[in-house]
Every structure is written in C-alpha cells, then in structure tokens.
C-alpha cells in the first residue's frame, strides 16, 4: 500500500553488544538528529458501523532525536473546515504510523481533506480521499507496521483483534510542576499474534537459549520491509503540550526506532516487557513546566492497537 507523502553471561555476547552499540552510535552520528522537517502521511480510510468514514493519518519526523512542538494554527491545520481535527501538536521522532483518525460524514463523496504542517522552514500537506486503493483493515495495518512479513496473511493475523485499553480514573487530571502523577490503565488482549520477531523468526521467544541468543546477535535480521516484534505492550507519551514530561518506568517507544538496541518493537533485539498479572499498567509522569498537556496511551499487541487519552492541567 502506498502512503502519501534473561541475562546471558558471556564475554563473546558482551563483545557483540559493545560492537552493536558502537555501530549504532556511528550510524546515528551520520543521520539527522535535529533541524529537519516533518512529512505528513495519509495512511488510508475505514468505514464505521454507522456509515461514516475515518481517515487515518500519521507522520514521519525526519529527526532521530528532536521532538517538535507545533500548536494548532497556521503551521498545523486541516482544511477545509475546522483547523483542529484532534491532530498531535507534539511530534515524536521518525516514522509514526496510524497515529490518529478524523471522522467524516457518510456523504463525504469525492472531496479531499488536507492536513498541512510547516516545520523547520518546510511545508508539507497530506490529502485524504475515499479512493478505493486507500481502504485499510486490520491485516493492512498489521502489514504496514511490520507485524507481518511482506505481502503475507495468516489465519492468526486475520483472527487478531485489537487490545482494549481502559484508563482507570478520571481522564482530566490536575497536578503541580514537579509533582508525580500516577496513571493506571487496564489492558485486555486475545493473545494474538503469537509473540515473536518477524524479522528473525528462526528464534521465537519461547525457545530462546543462551546459544540461540548468540546466534541471533551474530546473524543480522533479514527484513525486506520494516519488521516489528509481536508482543503486547502499553506506552504513554505526550500528544499535546510543549513542556518536558518524564515517565517512570521508561516507556516503550511507539515510533519506528530501527536501531538494534532501541527500546522499540522495531529494534531487532527488542523483547516485549512482562505483562502485569492483573493487566493493569502503572506509570508516573512528572512535568517541568506548567500548561495543559494531552497524554497519549497506546496498547499495542504488535499487529493492532488501541488508543486512549488523558488531559493534564499542570499548575505552577
């Protein structure tokens, strides 16, 4: 589909990891860390049960480190109609697919909806239409994000349903600068797809040993397209708000950080974190500056996802 636009105590393993980290650092030094622009992306559309449609959007922040803040307005707007369609104003690094949806009426027809971003002196626009070749379903989403091998579909992938994420407590909170805020969320999932690394399928999680891990580290993953490790995780990030927010514990990156050692499902050696026995994920967040923030929670099983949001008013 086109998009607009355990411990292993081993000296040898330690050596491999050291070389990997050095290589990652060298590669990072040759890529864009900051100062680059954002490419907006129209991912496709889906029809809702009531006959309306949802346009799905994402983006590619060309930077590896810089997280850009672009308020809704002349540099971040939709047209025609309302400029604010619930889009992010805080942009995480690199490729972020299927970030948000915009619902349009059942009689939308052949009109276009445009999302325009101006960042670091560059303006980009994504145009959404109901063109038939942009229709998406669960298999398309799983394939586009790398949960499936290129061009594949399995009974398991077709049976997978999105995890269900529920915020425990109020979705509007008040806190002071520097005061930790605890977020709790319940995640329910069907256990599909089976946890494992699509790009290195020979060593599934359940059968990994010290020797198989050594072979895995020595054998670079084979990936025709972007590859993603399947496995359930829950992650909180800033969706809107310009101040720095610190989460504890450190959150899994929902963006495609493809560096081998990255804390991201797209990192070749990432493994899913343990799932809480009661399915309740707890995290604290601390803000350094006052203002209103929207925090974005995403439950992701590797193939599909479910999002929820919490608004936080941070007082001095």
């Amino acid at each position: 589909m086109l998009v607009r636009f355990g411990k292993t105590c081993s000296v040898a393993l330690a050596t491999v990891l050291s070389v990997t980290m050095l290589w990652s650092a060298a590669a990072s030094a040759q890529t864009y860390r900051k100062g680059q622009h954002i490419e907006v992306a129209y991912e496709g559309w889906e029809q809702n049960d009531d006959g309306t449609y949802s346009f799905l959007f994402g983006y590619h922040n060309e930077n590896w480190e810089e997280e850009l803040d672009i308020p809704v307005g002349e540099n971040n707007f939709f047209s025609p109609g309302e400029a604010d369609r619930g889009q992010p104003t805080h942009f995480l690094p690199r490729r972020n697919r299927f970030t948000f949806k915009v619902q349009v009426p059942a009689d939308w027809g052949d009109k276009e909806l445009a999302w325009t971003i101006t960042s670091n002196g560059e303006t980009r626009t994504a145009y959404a239409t109901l063109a038939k070749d942009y229709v998406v379903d669960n298999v398309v989403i799983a394939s586009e994000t790398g949960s499936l091998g290129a061009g594949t579909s399995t009974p398991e992938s077709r049976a997978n349903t999105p995890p269900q994420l529920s915020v425990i407590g109020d979705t509007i909170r008040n806190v002071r600068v520097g005061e930790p805020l605890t977020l709790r969320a319940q995640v329910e999932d069907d256990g599909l797809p089976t946890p494992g690394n699509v790009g290195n399928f020979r060593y599934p999680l359940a059968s990994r040993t010290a020797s198989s891990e050594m072979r895995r580290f020595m054998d670079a993953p084979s990936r025709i397209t972007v590859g993603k490790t399947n496995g359930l995780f829950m992650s909180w990030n800033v969706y809107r708000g310009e101040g720095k927010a610190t989460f504890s514990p450190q959150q899994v990156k929902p963006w495609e950080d493809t560096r081998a050692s990255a804390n991201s499902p797209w990192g070749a050696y990432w493994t899913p974190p343990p799932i809480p026995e009661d399915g309740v994920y707890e995290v604290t967040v601390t803000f350094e500056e006052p203002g209103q923030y929207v925090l974005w929670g995403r439950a992701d099983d590797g193939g599909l996802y479910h999002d929820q949001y919490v608004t936080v008013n941070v007082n001095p």
Side-chain angles (χ1 to χ4, degrees), residues 3-291:
V3 175
R4 293 188 188 182
F5 34 161
K7 294 185 179 179
T8 302
C9 296
S10 167
V11 173
L13 179 56
T15 300
V16 171
L17 291 176
S18 297
V19 171
T20 299
M21 292 175 67
L22 289 172
W23 181 88
S24 296
S28 177
Q30 299 175 28
T31 57
Y32 297 126
R33 293 188 176 185
K34 61 182 181 179
Q36 303 305 307
H37 68 280
I38 292 171
E39 294 283 350
V40 287
Y42 170 52
E43 314 281 13
W45 60 269
E46 57 189 12
Q47 188 166 22
N48 303 311
D49 292 339
D50 62 359
T52 62
Y53 299 93
S54 288
F55 290 140
L56 286 73
F57 292 90
Y59 61 89
H60 183 95
N61 177 354
E62 296 281 349
N63 302 288
W64 279 93
E65 295 182 0
E66 185 176 12
E67 300 184 12
L68 299 172
D69 289 298
I70 308 174
V72 173
E74 62 180 357
N75 293 325
N76 181 1
F77 65 92
F78 273 89
S79 62
E82 297 181 10
D84 190 345
R85 303 282 185 132
Q87 67 267 35
T89 66
H90 182 84
F91 295 87
L92 300 172
R94 305 304 291 172
R95 186 66 165 101
N96 288 259
R97 301 176 193 262
F98 304 103
T99 305
F100 68 101
K101 300 179 181 181
V102 176
Q103 187 172 339
V104 297
D107 61 354
W108 183 259
D110 59 359
K111 294 180 291 185
E112 287 186 333
L113 183 66
W115 182 30
T116 299
I117 290 282
T118 299
S119 56
N120 285 327
E122 298 285 344
T123 298
R124 296 291 187 270
T125 299
Y127 298 91
T129 71
L130 293 175
K132 292 183 178 180
D133 54 344
Y134 275 88
V135 64
V136 300
D137 57 19
N138 286 347
V139 173
V140 170
I141 291 173
S143 178
E144 289 290 295
T145 57
S147 172
L148 298 174
T152 64
S153 172
T154 66
E156 179 183 276
S157 66
R158 294 191 294 272
N160 183 29
T161 59
Q164 293 302 301
L165 170 62
S166 302
V167 174
I168 299 174
D170 296 334
T171 56
I172 299 178
R173 310 284 181 90
N174 294 282
V175 71
R176 293 187 179 277
V177 170
E179 177 185 354
L181 172 66
T182 299
L183 300 172
R184 302 177 74 241
Q186 176 87 43
V187 178
E188 298 178 354
D189 189 48
D190 59 5
L192 298 176
T194 302
N197 192 315
V198 175
N200 208 358
F201 58 87
R202 289 176 294 171
Y203 310 121
L205 295 175
S207 62
R208 287 180 183 172
T209 64
S211 59
S212 73
E213 286 295 270
M214 174 59 71
R215 293 195 302 274
R216 191 165 70 97
F217 282 124
M218 294 296 290
D219 185 12
S222 174
R223 290 177 174 175
I224 300 173
T225 59
V226 63
K228 184 182 183 185
T229 299
N230 290 324
L232 184 66
F233 73 91
M234 162 72 197
S235 180
W236 286 100
N237 289 273
V238 175
Y239 190 78
R240 289 187 173 189
E242 298 186 16
K244 180 176 175 55
T246 301
F247 295 89
S248 180
Q250 185 181 44
Q251 299 296 283
V252 176
K253 297 175 181 177
W255 54 274
E256 293 178 13
D257 190 341
T258 54
R259 291 169 291 190
S261 58
N263 183 26
S264 162
W266 291 271
Y269 304 131
W270 181 84
T271 56
I275 300 174
E277 290 186 6
D278 57 1
V280 175
Y281 290 77
E282 185 170 301
V283 62
T284 61
V285 56
T286 306
F287 301 89
E288 295 186 4
E289 299 177 20

